[in-house]
Every structure is written in structure tokens, then in C-alpha cells.
Amino acid sequence: AFDLTEDRSLIVSGELVNMSEQTKQIPRVMVLLKNDQAVELQREYVMLSQDTIHPKQRINFQVTLEDIHPDSAEIEIKAEVNS
């Protein structure tokens, strides 16, 4: 979910879920803002309070991107998973 504030900050929240039967390392999660041609304009990393996620566990996150670029047209949330 996301919310744009009056001061042009973007608050993005979501949930990480471990669908496996094993404890996993939490991936590095980032929020990207892109223009209408898919060019990255801004990036913010999500800071989480733990390193691992247990089977079937859910972890909520929230990150605020301040003073977002006026050409932002797309939000992408990515997780860098280490194999």
C-alpha cells in the first residue's frame, strides 16, 4: 500500500511472507520510483529489525520516501534474494 502526503513524501507499506517450510534470510528490500519510461528516479531501502524469517511468518514493513521526484509515475518494490 502507499500514501502520498501533502509535503510530497510517499509512505509505502507492505508485508514479507515466508511461504516455505524453512527459516530464510530476509532479502534486501527496496522501493524504486520510476518515470513513465521506466527510468529509475529514486531508490530507498527498507530497514527491517531482524535478519531471518521463520516458516509461514509475516513481517510488516514501512518506508517513507521524502520529496519524491515530480516525474515519478511508477512504484516498484524489489527483494534481492540470495540463492
Side-chain angles (χ1 to χ4, degrees):
F2 61 91
D3 184 36
L4 183 61
T5 66
E6 289 181 17
D7 66 351
R8 296 204 45 81
S9 292
L10 181 68
I11 301 169
V12 179
S13 58
E15 182 177 67
L16 293 175
V17 181
N18 181 355
M19 301 296 290
S20 78
E21 299 296 329
Q22 300 175 347
T23 297
K24 300 282 187 176
Q25 286 293 118
I26 292 180
R28 188 173 184 187
V29 178
M30 69 186 94
V31 177
L32 307 172
L33 295 183
K34 298 181 177 184
N35 66 14
D36 59 3
Q37 297 173 343
V39 174
E40 182 181 323
L41 302 173
Q42 202 166 343
R43 174 186 300 219
E44 188 73 35
Y45 290 94
V46 176
M47 301 304 293
L48 297 167
S49 60
Q50 60 192 80
D51 295 332
T52 57
I53 184 169
H54 299 289
K56 310 302 181 201
Q57 182 181 8
R58 297 171 181 271
I59 299 173
N60 294 319
F61 69 85
Q62 181 173 301
V63 64
T64 301
L65 290 89
E66 308 231 349
D67 193 28
I68 65 169
H69 196 286
D71 292 337
S72 298
E74 180 181 334
I75 301 169
E76 182 177 347
I77 300 172
K78 292 177 95 173
E80 294 179 346
V81 180
N82 296 328
S83 305

